[in-house]
Amino acid sequence: MHEARIDDYLAQLAEQGYCIIENVLSPEQADAIADEVRKLEAELEIKPHANIFEGAKTRRIYNLLTQGTTFWAIATNPVVLPVVEGVLDKGLLVSSLSTIHIGPGEIPQPIHVDDGIINLPLPHPPLVCNTMYALTDFTEQNGATRIVPGSHKFNTAPEFGKPYDSIPAEMSKGSVLVWPGNLWHGGGENTMPEDAPDSWRMGLAMNYCAGFIRQQENQQIGIPMEMIKTFPKRLQELIGFAPYQGVIGHIDRRSPMAMFDATDTHSLTNVFPPSPEE
Ligand SMILES: O=C(O)CCC(=O)C(=O)O
């Protein structure tokens, strides 16, 4: 994407705490992925996890990188990834990739921050940057993500379960909402009638974290190694096989990437200048 456009999204993120990137996917691409998700839900017999956070009428499929190349391409999307790299840095990681499919009758998810579980004093630099791909239109009625604009500048986290003034991040299918881990937000209430066509809201939650903290989903163990070997190189890096700054995550001074490519340059040997000659 053009640098100026990235700067524009980064300015919106800095100012209001979110941006919406339109037309990342065409409507046809969004429909095709939504069909894939519905098929997976049937195959995997996905049911709501039925708790106050994940929802009683919401279907979620986790660990989606194990479910085919469609999802690999989401993680490395050339329009969205540079914006997220601008918030974190190029050493970022995929934290998790899941579907969030909100059905009619779902109540509002508690307003929360995604990095709230990390017990660091506020404010702190962004540790998490999350994105939501709309695979159906997101409307106020079908449960579009609720956001509290400007809340990324607050020095407190929301009280769990307390109602807050928020706006719906309405967007057409194929658009992507981006926000840093400290923006107050939550999944919306779905007030659509059960029998209305398109009563369900489907999103892909493509979440990233800084390269120096733990990923929410453990992809090094959760994805079979034989599958990881077939990933594109950038995806291997993004799931945690490239040490951050060549150091964090090395194995005996070597990059795990060397398992796939002997010429890999992430090795610790390239980080430090040689010691002065004796
Ligand atoms: O579904 C949404 O719109 C947001 C969900 C969310 O924030 C979460 O589950 O952490």
Side-chain angles (χ1 to χ4, degrees):
M1 195 185 357
H2 198 277
E3 292 293 326
R5 202 72 188 108
I6 297 174
D7 288 348
D8 193 29
Y9 290 127
L10 291 175
Q12 290 176 39
L13 280 157
E15 184 48 37
Q16 60 195 27
Y18 70 95
C19 70
I20 292 176
I21 309 177
E22 289 177 342
N23 305 315
V24 174
L25 305 172
S26 67
E28 294 74 26
Q29 285 171 319
D31 286 345
I33 301 174
D35 283 345
E36 230 177 289
V37 170
R38 286 188 199 97
K39 220 169 115 217
L40 276 175
E41 285 179 344
E43 270 168 32
L44 302 171
E45 299 182 20
I46 297 295
K47 304 265 178 310
H49 298 289
N51 58 62
I52 202 83
F53 192 80
E54 291 172 290
K57 306 221 162 144
T58 297
R59 298 184 196 141
R60 295 176 184 243
I61 311 176
Y62 290 98
N63 205 19
L64 275 180
L65 290 176
T66 59
Q67 299 297 344
T69 53
T70 299
F71 303 105
W72 306 358
I74 294 289
T76 56
N77 183 279
V79 175
V80 178
L81 188 57
V83 177
V84 182
E85 287 172 344
V87 175
L88 300 170
D89 64 37
K90 283 188 193 296
L92 81 180
L93 296 168
V94 166
S95 182
S96 64
L97 176 53
S98 61
T99 58
I100 306 186
H101 196 186
I102 299 184
E106 185 58 278
I107 61 172
Q109 186 186 39
I111 294 287
H112 61 279
V113 289
D114 288 332
D115 61 7
I117 207 148
I118 300 170
N119 196 12
L120 283 178
L122 293 165
H124 56 65
L127 301 171
V128 166
C129 183
N130 291 340
T131 72
M132 178 69 79
Y133 284 66
L135 297 183
T136 58
D137 289 339
F138 272 37
T139 65
E140 178 156 26
Q141 291 71 31
N142 73 8
T145 310
R146 308 285 313 188
I147 50 183
V148 181
S151 54
H152 64 306
K153 295 181 180 165
F154 298 172
N155 283 338
T156 52
E159 226 177 277
F160 198 78
K162 208 172 146 189
Y164 293 99
D165 285 343
S166 61
I167 59 165
E170 294 194 307
M171 53 183 174
S172 50
K173 64 183 164 191
S175 302
V176 178
L177 171 69
V178 185
W179 69 93
N182 57 356
L183 184 81
W184 297 23
H185 71 284
E189 177 179 19
N190 186 329
T191 57
M192 294 289 286
E194 288 273 350
D195 53 358
D198 302 328
S199 58
W200 285 70
R201 186 224 79 173
M202 191 191 291
L204 266 186
M206 176 68 257
N207 295 348
Y208 300 88
C209 64
F212 48 84
I213 65 169
R214 279 193 80 177
Q215 296 142 282
Q216 205 155 312
E217 293 187 300
N218 189 326
Q219 296 142 70
Q220 293 104 63
I221 294 175
I223 304 172
M225 185 57 80
E226 284 313 306
M227 186 183 286
I228 294 174
K229 283 184 186 159
T230 69
F231 278 6
K233 183 164 188 265
R234 184 66 182 127
L235 190 56
Q236 292 168 340
E237 293 171 350
L238 284 172
I239 64 165
F241 281 78
Y244 183 72
Q245 305 274 21
V247 178
I248 298 176
H250 74 87
I251 303 171
D252 201 11
R253 305 187 78 253
R254 296 200 71 202
S255 164
M257 290 293 285
M259 291 194 287
F260 313 124
D261 174 6
T263 64
D264 181 73
T265 54
H266 292 88
S267 164
L268 199 64
T269 49
N270 297 320
V271 175
F272 304 115
S275 49
E277 283 182 49
E278 292 176 5

